[in-house]
Short mmCIF file of all heavy atoms in Angstrom, two decimals:
data_model
loop_
_atom_site.label_atom_id
_atom_site.label_comp_id
_atom_site.label_asym_id
_atom_site.label_seq_id
_atom_site.Cartn_x
_atom_site.Cartn_y
_atom_site.Cartn_z
N PRO O 1 2.55 -15.53 -22.91
CA PRO O 1 2.68 -15.12 -21.50
C PRO O 1 2.80 -13.60 -21.39
O PRO O 1 3.33 -12.93 -22.28
CB PRO O 1 3.96 -15.82 -21.04
CG PRO O 1 4.15 -16.97 -21.99
CD PRO O 1 3.61 -16.49 -23.31
N ALA O 2 2.27 -13.07 -20.30
CA ALA O 2 2.27 -11.62 -20.09
C ALA O 2 3.18 -11.27 -18.91
O ALA O 2 3.06 -11.87 -17.84
CB ALA O 2 0.87 -11.13 -19.82
N ARG O 3 4.05 -10.32 -19.12
CA ARG O 3 4.88 -9.77 -18.06
C ARG O 3 4.35 -8.38 -17.72
O ARG O 3 4.27 -7.50 -18.58
CB ARG O 3 6.35 -9.70 -18.48
CG ARG O 3 7.00 -11.04 -18.67
CD ARG O 3 8.40 -10.95 -19.27
NE ARG O 3 9.20 -9.92 -18.64
CZ ARG O 3 9.58 -8.80 -19.27
NH1 ARG O 3 9.20 -8.57 -20.51
NH2 ARG O 3 10.33 -7.92 -18.64
N VAL O 4 3.96 -8.21 -16.46
CA VAL O 4 3.29 -6.99 -16.04
C VAL O 4 3.99 -6.42 -14.82
O VAL O 4 4.31 -7.13 -13.86
CB VAL O 4 1.81 -7.26 -15.71
CG1 VAL O 4 1.14 -6.01 -15.17
CG2 VAL O 4 1.07 -7.75 -16.96
N ARG O 5 4.23 -5.11 -14.86
CA ARG O 5 4.82 -4.42 -13.71
C ARG O 5 3.69 -3.89 -12.83
O ARG O 5 2.73 -3.28 -13.32
CB ARG O 5 5.70 -3.26 -14.18
CG ARG O 5 6.48 -2.57 -13.05
CD ARG O 5 7.63 -1.78 -13.64
NE ARG O 5 7.17 -0.69 -14.47
CZ ARG O 5 7.02 0.57 -14.02
NH1 ARG O 5 7.25 0.85 -12.75
NH2 ARG O 5 6.63 1.51 -14.83
N VAL O 6 3.79 -4.11 -11.52
CA VAL O 6 2.80 -3.67 -10.56
C VAL O 6 3.47 -2.80 -9.51
O VAL O 6 4.51 -3.17 -8.96
CB VAL O 6 2.09 -4.86 -9.88
CG1 VAL O 6 1.11 -4.37 -8.81
CG2 VAL O 6 1.38 -5.72 -10.92
N VAL O 7 2.89 -1.64 -9.24
CA VAL O 7 3.34 -0.76 -8.16
C VAL O 7 2.12 -0.35 -7.35
O VAL O 7 1.16 0.18 -7.92
CB VAL O 7 4.06 0.50 -8.69
CG1 VAL O 7 4.46 1.41 -7.54
CG2 VAL O 7 5.27 0.13 -9.53
N LEU O 8 2.14 -0.60 -6.07
CA LEU O 8 1.07 -0.14 -5.18
C LEU O 8 1.70 0.78 -4.14
O LEU O 8 2.45 0.33 -3.27
CB LEU O 8 0.37 -1.31 -4.49
CG LEU O 8 -0.72 -0.92 -3.50
CD1 LEU O 8 -1.84 -0.14 -4.18
CD2 LEU O 8 -1.29 -2.15 -2.79
N ASP O 9 1.35 2.05 -4.24
CA ASP O 9 1.92 3.06 -3.34
C ASP O 9 0.82 4.06 -2.96
O ASP O 9 0.84 5.21 -3.41
CB ASP O 9 3.09 3.76 -4.02
CG ASP O 9 3.80 4.75 -3.11
OD1 ASP O 9 3.62 4.67 -1.88
OD2 ASP O 9 4.54 5.61 -3.64
N PRO O 10 -0.16 3.66 -2.15
CA PRO O 10 -1.24 4.59 -1.77
C PRO O 10 -0.70 5.70 -0.88
O PRO O 10 0.13 5.47 0.01
CB PRO O 10 -2.22 3.69 -0.99
CG PRO O 10 -1.80 2.29 -1.28
CD PRO O 10 -0.34 2.34 -1.54
N ARG O 11 -1.20 6.90 -1.10
CA ARG O 11 -0.82 8.06 -0.28
C ARG O 11 -2.09 8.81 0.08
O ARG O 11 -2.67 9.50 -0.76
CB ARG O 11 0.13 8.98 -1.05
CG ARG O 11 1.41 8.32 -1.55
CD ARG O 11 2.38 8.01 -0.43
NE ARG O 11 3.63 7.50 -0.92
CZ ARG O 11 4.75 8.22 -1.05
NH1 ARG O 11 4.74 9.52 -0.73
NH2 ARG O 11 5.86 7.68 -1.50
N ALA O 12 -2.54 8.68 1.29
CA ALA O 12 -3.79 9.30 1.71
C ALA O 12 -3.65 10.82 1.81
O ALA O 12 -2.54 11.37 1.89
CB ALA O 12 -4.24 8.72 3.06
N ASP O 13 -4.83 11.50 1.83
CA ASP O 13 -4.91 12.93 2.06
C ASP O 13 -4.05 13.72 1.07
O ASP O 13 -3.14 14.45 1.45
CB ASP O 13 -4.50 13.26 3.51
CG ASP O 13 -4.85 14.68 3.90
OD1 ASP O 13 -5.69 15.31 3.22
OD2 ASP O 13 -4.26 15.18 4.88
N PHE O 14 -4.35 13.56 -0.22
CA PHE O 14 -3.63 14.26 -1.28
C PHE O 14 -2.13 14.00 -1.24
O PHE O 14 -1.32 14.85 -1.55
CB PHE O 14 -3.89 15.77 -1.20
CG PHE O 14 -5.27 16.17 -1.63
CD1 PHE O 14 -6.29 16.33 -0.70
CD2 PHE O 14 -5.56 16.40 -2.97
CE1 PHE O 14 -7.57 16.70 -1.09
CE2 PHE O 14 -6.84 16.76 -3.37
CZ PHE O 14 -7.85 16.92 -2.44
N GLY O 15 -1.75 12.77 -0.86
CA GLY O 15 -0.36 12.38 -0.88
C GLY O 15 0.42 12.67 0.38
O GLY O 15 1.61 12.35 0.47
N ARG O 16 -0.23 13.25 1.38
CA ARG O 16 0.50 13.65 2.59
C ARG O 16 0.80 12.47 3.52
O ARG O 16 1.70 12.56 4.36
CB ARG O 16 -0.31 14.70 3.37
CG ARG O 16 -0.59 15.98 2.59
CD ARG O 16 -1.29 16.99 3.47
NE ARG O 16 -1.68 18.19 2.74
CZ ARG O 16 -2.90 18.45 2.31
NH1 ARG O 16 -3.87 17.56 2.55
NH2 ARG O 16 -3.19 19.56 1.65
N SER O 17 0.05 11.37 3.41
CA SER O 17 0.18 10.25 4.35
C SER O 17 0.56 8.98 3.60
O SER O 17 -0.29 8.34 2.98
CB SER O 17 -1.15 10.02 5.10
OG SER O 17 -1.52 11.17 5.83
N PRO O 18 1.82 8.60 3.64
CA PRO O 18 2.26 7.41 2.91
C PRO O 18 1.89 6.12 3.64
O PRO O 18 1.35 6.13 4.76
CB PRO O 18 3.78 7.59 2.85
CG PRO O 18 4.10 8.38 4.09
CD PRO O 18 2.94 9.30 4.30
N LEU O 19 2.21 5.00 2.98
CA LEU O 19 1.97 3.70 3.59
C LEU O 19 2.79 3.54 4.87
O LEU O 19 3.93 3.99 4.96
CB LEU O 19 2.36 2.59 2.62
CG LEU O 19 1.34 2.10 1.60
CD1 LEU O 19 1.95 0.99 0.77
CD2 LEU O 19 0.08 1.60 2.29
N ARG O 20 2.19 2.84 5.82
CA ARG O 20 2.91 2.48 7.05
C ARG O 20 2.35 1.14 7.54
O ARG O 20 1.34 0.66 7.04
CB ARG O 20 2.75 3.56 8.12
CG ARG O 20 1.35 3.70 8.67
CD ARG O 20 1.27 4.85 9.68
NE ARG O 20 0.04 4.82 10.47
CZ ARG O 20 -1.12 5.28 10.07
NH1 ARG O 20 -1.23 5.83 8.87
NH2 ARG O 20 -2.18 5.19 10.87
N GLU O 21 3.01 0.57 8.49
CA GLU O 21 2.60 -0.70 9.09
C GLU O 21 2.35 -1.77 8.03
O GLU O 21 1.38 -2.53 8.07
CB GLU O 21 1.33 -0.51 9.94
CG GLU O 21 1.49 0.50 11.07
CD GLU O 21 0.19 0.74 11.82
OE1 GLU O 21 -0.68 -0.17 11.83
OE2 GLU O 21 0.05 1.83 12.41
N VAL O 22 3.26 -1.84 7.05
CA VAL O 22 3.11 -2.80 5.96
C VAL O 22 3.48 -4.20 6.47
O VAL O 22 4.57 -4.41 7.01
CB VAL O 22 4.01 -2.42 4.78
CG1 VAL O 22 3.87 -3.43 3.65
CG2 VAL O 22 3.67 -1.02 4.29
N THR O 23 2.55 -5.13 6.31
CA THR O 23 2.73 -6.49 6.82
C THR O 23 2.36 -7.50 5.75
O THR O 23 1.34 -7.35 5.08
CB THR O 23 1.86 -6.74 8.06
OG1 THR O 23 2.17 -5.74 9.05
CG2 THR O 23 2.10 -8.12 8.63
N ARG O 24 3.18 -8.52 5.61
CA ARG O 24 2.89 -9.58 4.64
C ARG O 24 2.27 -10.77 5.34
O ARG O 24 2.65 -11.11 6.47
CB ARG O 24 4.18 -10.00 3.93
CG ARG O 24 3.95 -10.97 2.77
CD ARG O 24 5.19 -11.14 1.95
NE ARG O 24 4.92 -11.81 0.69
CZ ARG O 24 5.78 -11.89 -0.31
NH1 ARG O 24 6.98 -11.31 -0.19
NH2 ARG O 24 5.48 -12.52 -1.43
N ASN O 25 1.28 -11.41 4.68
CA ASN O 25 0.69 -12.63 5.21
C ASN O 25 0.54 -13.64 4.07
O ASN O 25 1.02 -13.40 2.96
CB ASN O 25 -0.66 -12.35 5.89
CG ASN O 25 -1.63 -11.62 4.98
OD1 ASN O 25 -1.73 -11.93 3.79
ND2 ASN O 25 -2.34 -10.63 5.52
N ALA O 26 -0.16 -14.72 4.35
CA ALA O 26 -0.25 -15.80 3.36
C ALA O 26 -0.96 -15.36 2.09
O ALA O 26 -0.66 -15.86 0.99
CB ALA O 26 -0.96 -17.00 3.97
N ASP O 27 -1.91 -14.44 2.19
CA ASP O 27 -2.71 -14.04 1.03
C ASP O 27 -2.24 -12.76 0.36
O ASP O 27 -2.69 -12.44 -0.74
CB ASP O 27 -4.18 -13.86 1.45
CG ASP O 27 -4.81 -15.17 1.88
OD1 ASP O 27 -4.45 -16.20 1.30
OD2 ASP O 27 -5.64 -15.14 2.80
N GLY O 28 -1.38 -12.01 1.01
CA GLY O 28 -0.98 -10.74 0.43
C GLY O 28 -0.40 -9.81 1.47
O GLY O 28 0.47 -10.20 2.25
N TRP O 29 -0.95 -8.58 1.52
CA TRP O 29 -0.38 -7.54 2.35
C TRP O 29 -1.47 -6.76 3.06
O TRP O 29 -2.58 -6.59 2.54
CB TRP O 29 0.43 -6.56 1.50
CG TRP O 29 1.53 -7.18 0.72
CD1 TRP O 29 1.43 -7.82 -0.49
CD2 TRP O 29 2.91 -7.25 1.08
NE1 TRP O 29 2.65 -8.26 -0.91
CE2 TRP O 29 3.60 -7.93 0.05
CE3 TRP O 29 3.65 -6.80 2.19
CZ2 TRP O 29 4.95 -8.15 0.07
CZ3 TRP O 29 5.01 -7.02 2.21
CH2 TRP O 29 5.65 -7.69 1.17
N THR O 30 -1.16 -6.24 4.25
CA THR O 30 -2.01 -5.26 4.93
C THR O 30 -1.15 -4.04 5.26
O THR O 30 0.07 -4.13 5.38
CB THR O 30 -2.62 -5.83 6.23
OG1 THR O 30 -1.55 -6.18 7.14
CG2 THR O 30 -3.48 -7.03 5.95
N ALA O 31 -1.82 -2.89 5.40
CA ALA O 31 -1.09 -1.65 5.68
C ALA O 31 -2.08 -0.59 6.16
O ALA O 31 -3.30 -0.80 6.18
CB ALA O 31 -0.34 -1.18 4.44
N ARG O 32 -1.55 0.56 6.51
CA ARG O 32 -2.34 1.74 6.86
C ARG O 32 -1.87 2.91 6.00
O ARG O 32 -0.71 2.98 5.60
CB ARG O 32 -2.17 2.12 8.34
CG ARG O 32 -2.58 1.09 9.35
CD ARG O 32 -4.10 0.95 9.46
NE ARG O 32 -4.77 2.23 9.69
CZ ARG O 32 -4.91 2.80 10.90
NH1 ARG O 32 -4.42 2.22 11.97
NH2 ARG O 32 -5.58 3.95 11.02
N ALA O 33 -2.79 3.83 5.73
CA ALA O 33 -2.45 5.11 5.09
C ALA O 33 -3.41 6.13 5.65
O ALA O 33 -4.63 6.02 5.46
CB ALA O 33 -2.57 5.01 3.57
N GLY O 34 -2.89 7.12 6.37
CA GLY O 34 -3.77 8.04 7.07
C GLY O 34 -4.63 7.27 8.05
O GLY O 34 -4.16 6.43 8.82
N SER O 35 -5.94 7.52 8.04
CA SER O 35 -6.85 6.81 8.94
C SER O 35 -7.44 5.55 8.30
O SER O 35 -8.28 4.88 8.91
CB SER O 35 -8.01 7.75 9.32
OG SER O 35 -8.74 8.13 8.17
N LEU O 36 -6.99 5.21 7.10
CA LEU O 36 -7.58 4.10 6.36
C LEU O 36 -6.81 2.80 6.57
O LEU O 36 -5.58 2.81 6.74
CB LEU O 36 -7.61 4.44 4.86
CG LEU O 36 -8.41 5.68 4.48
CD1 LEU O 36 -8.21 6.00 3.00
CD2 LEU O 36 -9.89 5.49 4.80
N TYR O 37 -7.56 1.71 6.53
CA TYR O 37 -6.99 0.37 6.60
C TYR O 37 -6.99 -0.23 5.19
O TYR O 37 -8.01 -0.17 4.48
CB TYR O 37 -7.81 -0.51 7.54
CG TYR O 37 -7.78 -0.06 8.97
CD1 TYR O 37 -8.63 0.96 9.42
CD2 TYR O 37 -6.92 -0.63 9.90
CE1 TYR O 37 -8.61 1.39 10.74
CE2 TYR O 37 -6.88 -0.21 11.22
CZ TYR O 37 -7.73 0.79 11.64
OH TYR O 37 -7.71 1.22 12.95
#
């Protein structure tokens, strides 16, 4: 068995725009970073 650490922390525009509007649903997560979905 494999134990793996996962970190997802997108930061748009050279790190100036962190994640926002983070929402969980049945399949995973949605969020915004800068102008990106």
Side-chain angles (χ1 to χ4, degrees):
R3 293 172 45 248
V4 175
R5 186 162 65 95
V6 177
V7 177
L8 178 61
D9 185 17
R11 303 288 185 100
D13 193 18
F14 288 95
R16 300 185 185 101
S17 300
L19 273 181
R20 68 183 194 278
E21 302 176 25
V22 179
T23 304
R24 188 169 192 168
N25 54 42
D27 294 325
W29 302 83
T30 61
R32 299 287 307 277
S35 62
L36 300 173
Y37 295 82

